[in-house]
Amino acid sequence: MEHLPKLADLENSSADPWSSLKAFTSARIALGRTGTSVPLKESLAFKLAHAHARDAVYSVLQLEKIAKELQLLNLPFILVQSQANNRQDYLQRPDLGRKLNFSSREQLATLSADECDIAIIIADGLSATAINEHAIPLLHFLLPKLQQAGFTLAPVTIVERARVAVSDETGQLLKAKLSLILIGERPGLSSPNSLGAYFTYAPKPGLTDESRNCISNIRPHGLPYDLAADKIFYLIQEASRKQLTGVALKDEMDLLQG
């Protein structure tokens, strides 16, 4: 008599082997299909994710909320702007987002004559949503580490319509040995609110990306705040000890813990 497959065998054979991987990533995998197209549910989910990404690009900083939270952390701050006068200019002219406008440079230049170890910059970047949601929670973990280690801090600089390189000019004007910018990263279809942290030793205008280090995808569904703070603190310590950042500064934190 011919052996008939059990129901469980049929169910296992028809299961999508990719579906189990969905537990490990938010990437768009194992979507299934309806005929030659994706299921309606997945098609609508894609459109919604795309809408969230577009919204993030045009989101704005919640300045009043950020200001109150910085006050609770006993952090003085100053609000400045890049040379991009509006969001459209910012998106079409990346170069304008890398430089402070004239009045902002004047503000920072006259702010303090004292040198400091670190200038912390908060910038909207390509997702102010990321800043609104994650910048302050990250600082709650990072600040105690920096303060206990004896690092001196400049007043926090909040920069509207900024790119990463604005931290070079800002850090130099604040006479900081190292600049640390928290900035909203380019939104993706699975992460419209990802926060990036870039830091540069001896910041000055004209530096390129090889001169700085980056910790990216800081958010609860990516790199958690506490782990991000540990990694940033470790690399800042190493940068201060070696007096450099960029390609010459390697992240050996995991090797030391192993």
Side-chain angles (χ1 to χ4, degrees):
M1 183 176 180
E2 183 180 357
H3 173 70
L4 297 176
K6 298 179 180 179
L7 179 60
D9 294 332
L10 292 175
E11 290 177 346
N12 290 334
S13 65
S14 62
D16 186 346
W18 287 88
S19 60
S20 60
L21 296 178
K22 298 184 75 170
F24 301 97
T25 178
S26 58
R28 309 183 68 78
I29 64 171
L31 302 181
R33 66 176 182 172
T34 301
T36 59
S37 183
V38 297
L40 176 61
K41 177 183 177 181
E42 297 297 343
S43 177
L44 294 176
F46 176 86
K47 292 178 180 179
L48 180 61
H50 186 258
H52 284 320
R54 287 178 59 88
D55 288 345
V57 169
Y58 287 95
S59 59
V60 296
L61 292 172
Q62 297 174 355
L63 295 174
E64 185 176 346
K65 173 177 176 287
I66 294 172
K68 289 180 179 179
E69 290 171 331
L70 290 175
Q71 289 173 346
L72 291 175
L73 290 173
N74 294 317
L75 287 175
F77 62 91
I78 184 170
L79 175 64
V80 296
Q81 295 80 31
S82 73
Q83 292 184 7
N85 294 320
N86 52 61
R87 200 64 181 172
Q88 200 64 30
D89 286 347
Y90 172 79
L91 294 174
Q92 294 179 347
R93 291 282 307 275
D95 57 308
L96 297 180
R98 301 184 184 112
K99 303 174 183 177
L100 297 170
N101 62 26
F102 178 79
S103 62
S104 296
R105 288 198 302 271
E106 290 292 301
Q107 281 181 278
L108 295 184
T110 58
L111 189 63
S112 174
D114 297 329
E115 294 184 352
C116 63
D117 293 318
I118 303 172
I120 297 177
I121 300 121
I122 295 177
D124 47 9
L126 287 169
S127 175
T129 301
I131 292 296
N132 297 332
E133 295 180 1
H134 307 313
I136 299 301
L138 174 63
L139 288 177
H140 273 286
F141 285 95
L142 180 60
L143 276 176
K145 298 177 183 296
L146 297 177
Q147 292 167 343
Q148 291 171 12
F151 287 109
T152 56
L153 306 178
V156 174
T157 308
I158 304 172
V159 190
E160 294 181 287
R161 300 178 294 278
R163 302 278 177 170
V164 172
V166 80
S167 62
D168 297 333
E169 183 179 23
T170 303
Q172 184 185 57
L173 288 169
L174 292 174
K175 301 179 178 63
K177 296 177 182 177
L178 182 144
S179 65
L180 168 64
I181 184 168
L182 307 180
I183 191 167
E185 297 183 305
R186 186 183 304 276
L189 290 176
S190 61
S191 57
N193 60 346
S194 180
L195 178 72
Y198 295 77
F199 50 97
T200 310
Y201 191 84
K204 62 181 180 180
L207 294 178
T208 55
D209 288 342
E210 52 83 26
S211 301
R212 61 183 111 257
N213 291 80
C214 172
I215 306 297
S216 64
N217 197 31
I218 302 171
R219 58 193 182 102
H221 292 91
L223 183 63
Y225 305 135
D226 56 341
L227 297 182
D230 287 344
K231 191 168 289 289
I232 293 169
F233 178 64
Y234 163 77
L235 287 171
I236 285 178
Q237 284 186 306
E238 288 297 287
S240 300
R241 181 175 67 86
K242 297 180 178 180
Q243 299 186 357
L244 54 82
T245 49
V247 295
L249 180 63
K250 305 302 181 184
D251 180 3
E252 299 177 340
M253 178 178 174
D254 293 335
L255 296 178
L256 296 176
Q257 293 177 344

